[in-house]
Structures are given as C-alpha cells and as structure tokens.
C-alpha cells in the first residue's frame, strides 16, 4: 500500500491519548516502520534510575550519556524492543516509576541533542510513523503528516489503568489520574520542546472513539495527505 514513496508521519499528544496503540496498528497496515520515541527516552530514564542519579540534574545526566548504548529492533512479535547496553529492557521501561524519569530527562537539552540525529536518521532511510511529544514541532518539523491526539484526562487515566492491569501492575484510578496530570503539566511547561501541537497538525480528540474507528480515520488522513 505504501509503494516506494518515502514519507513521514508525526504523531504527538499526551499519555493515554492512543499514540502508541494507534501508531503501531497504522504502521502495520501501511507497511511502514513504527518508532516509539517515548521508549527511547524511557530507556535513558531507566539507565539514570539504575545509576542512582537525580533525573533533573542536567550535569550528572549529561555526564553519563557517552556510556549509554541504545538499540532498537522490531521483534517477531511486531513490537519495538529496546536494548540498553545489549539488554532487552522493553518490559522494564514500562514500569510506572520510569514515566517521570523519562519526562525529567527529556527536558534536558543534552539528552535531546543526543537522540535527535538518531531519530531523524531513521526517518531519512524509510517511511515511518513516529510518536512522541515534540515530533511534529522539533524532531520532524517537515513531516508529511502531523497528527496531534488528545483526550479527556479521565478517559486517558482509565485507559492507563486498564493497561497496567493487563501488565500485572495495577494501580488505583485516582493515583494514575494524579500521576498523569502531573506528567501533563511537566511536559507542557518545560522550557525545551514543550508538548504542544504544531501549527499545521491535524487535531484529533480520541475521547469517544473506538480503536478501529480511530485507526481507520487516521489511515484515511495519512493516505489522503501523502497520495497513497
């Protein structure tokens, strides 16, 4: 379906808006590469946690960046697996406590510079759908399609609760909601690349959308925009 045309799709938005779930499904349908940039930041956050470094200490975090080797591979299960110094940390980076580490380190300029070229080089080589919080504004400002997903906070918190239950790490709704609210504030108020839609983003509210409806809607938008 994708043909030989190389194109890029940027998907931004807050936690729980459906970025990863929908981007993965769209990538599979269109036969393009899915890049979860949040997982890359989570991998750095995990390393920072393991080193016992405060994630908001820019000097200490920048000092350990040369030690970090991150690899990204797509496994037979179709998932993007993250490797930290050769270790598959795909499961570990999804632990709730790593979310704030990821948010904290992503606000450090040295970390963003460290990862920027890695992300852009992936998009230069093949068609991609890349999700995160500043893809359309900073990482891929010239993306062919920019989508900003959002949803009501309560809806997003319920989705995250369900996800945590399925992983065997359940948390009370109020705790999840509070953590998500704090993460939203932190992501939208940081000085470096705050979470905000690009001026040319297509805004999509997924609050009342079922998965298949949202997936098909976004695929139609992408195909229409890039002429597939």
């Amino acid at each position: 379906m994708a043909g030989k045309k190389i194109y890029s799709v940027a998907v931004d938005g807050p936690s729980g808006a459906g970025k990863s779930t929908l981007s993965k499904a769209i990538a599979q349908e269109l036969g393009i590469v899915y890049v979860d940039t949040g997982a890359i930041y989570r991998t750095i956050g995990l390393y920072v946690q393991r080193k016992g470094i405060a994630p908001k200490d820019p000097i200490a975090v920048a000092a350990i960046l040369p030690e970090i080797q991150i690899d990204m591979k797509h496994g037979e299960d179709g998932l993007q697996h993250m490797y930290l110094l050769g270790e598959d940390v795909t499961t570990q980076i999804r632990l709730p406590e790593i979310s704030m580490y990821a948010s904290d380190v992503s606000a450090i300029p040295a970390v963003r510079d460290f990862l920027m070229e890695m992300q852009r080089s992936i998009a230069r080589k093949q068609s991609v759908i890349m999700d995160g919080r500043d893809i359309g504004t900073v990482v891929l400002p010239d993306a062919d399609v920019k989508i900003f997903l959002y949803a009501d906070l309560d809806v997003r918190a319920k989705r995250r609760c369900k996800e945590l239950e399925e992983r065997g790490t359940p948390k009370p709704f109020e705790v999840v909601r509070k953590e998500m609210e704090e993460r939203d504030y932190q992501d939208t108020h940081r000085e470096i690349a705050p979470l905000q839609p690009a001026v040319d983003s297509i805004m999509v509210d997924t609050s009342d959308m079922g998965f298949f409806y949202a997936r098909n809607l976004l695929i139609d938008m992408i195909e229409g925009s890039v002429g597939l």
Side-chain angles (χ1 to χ4, degrees), residues 101-141:
Y101 270 85
S103 184
D104 287 341
V105 300
S106 69
I108 297 174
V111 173
R112 306 198 75 83
D113 292 343
F114 179 71
L115 295 178
M116 186 74 72
E117 179 53 30
M118 171 185 176
Q119 296 166 11
R120 287 178 173 170
S121 106
I122 294 171
R124 281 196 294 267
K125 296 171 184 173
Q126 65 235 308
S127 293
V128 301
I129 179 165
M130 190 176 290
D131 77 33
R133 285 169 172 73
D134 66 342
I135 309 306
T137 53
V138 178
V139 180
L140 300 178

Side-chain angles (χ1 to χ4, degrees), residues 157-183:
K158 287 176 184 175
R159 290 173 181 169
R160 181 52 52 83
C161 282
K162 182 180 178 183
E163 182 182 311
L164 291 173
E165 285 175 11
E166 291 172 350
R167 286 182 187 155
T169 56
K171 272 192 175 185
F173 171 78
E174 288 304 326
V175 173
V176 172
R177 188 185 189 282
K178 186 173 185 299
E179 289 178 346
M180 192 167 276
E181 192 171 29
E182 290 173 353
R183 177 84 193 266

Side-chain angles (χ1 to χ4, degrees), residues 37-84:
T37 62
I40 303 173
Y41 282 103
R42 282 173 175 270
T43 303
I44 290 184
L46 177 65
Y47 189 70
V48 168
Q49 184 210 40
R50 288 180 172 181
K51 296 287 283 189
I53 293 171
K56 290 186 178 181
D57 184 338
I59 296 176
V61 172
I64 65 167
L65 291 178
E67 305 171 12
I68 302 176
Q69 179 187 340
I70 297 176
D71 293 302
M72 184 180 70
K73 301 175 184 176
H74 287 78
E76 294 181 1
D77 54 8
L79 299 177
Q80 173 182 293
H81 285 252
M82 298 305 302
Y83 291 82
L84 174 61

Side-chain angles (χ1 to χ4, degrees), residues 8 102 184:
S8 57
D184 287 350

Side-chain angles (χ1 to χ4, degrees), residues 16 151-160 173 206-208:
D152 178 78
L153 178 60
D154 285 345
V155 172
R156 292 190 287 121
K158 287 176 184 175
R159 290 173 181 169
R160 181 52 52 83
F173 171 78
T206 65
S207 299
D208 299 317

Side-chain angles (χ1 to χ4, degrees), residues 140-157:
L140 300 178
D142 297 321
D144 297 277
V145 189
K146 298 177 187 177
I147 297 167
F148 192 92
L149 301 181
Y150 63 101
D152 178 78
L153 178 60
D154 285 345
V155 172
R156 292 190 287 121

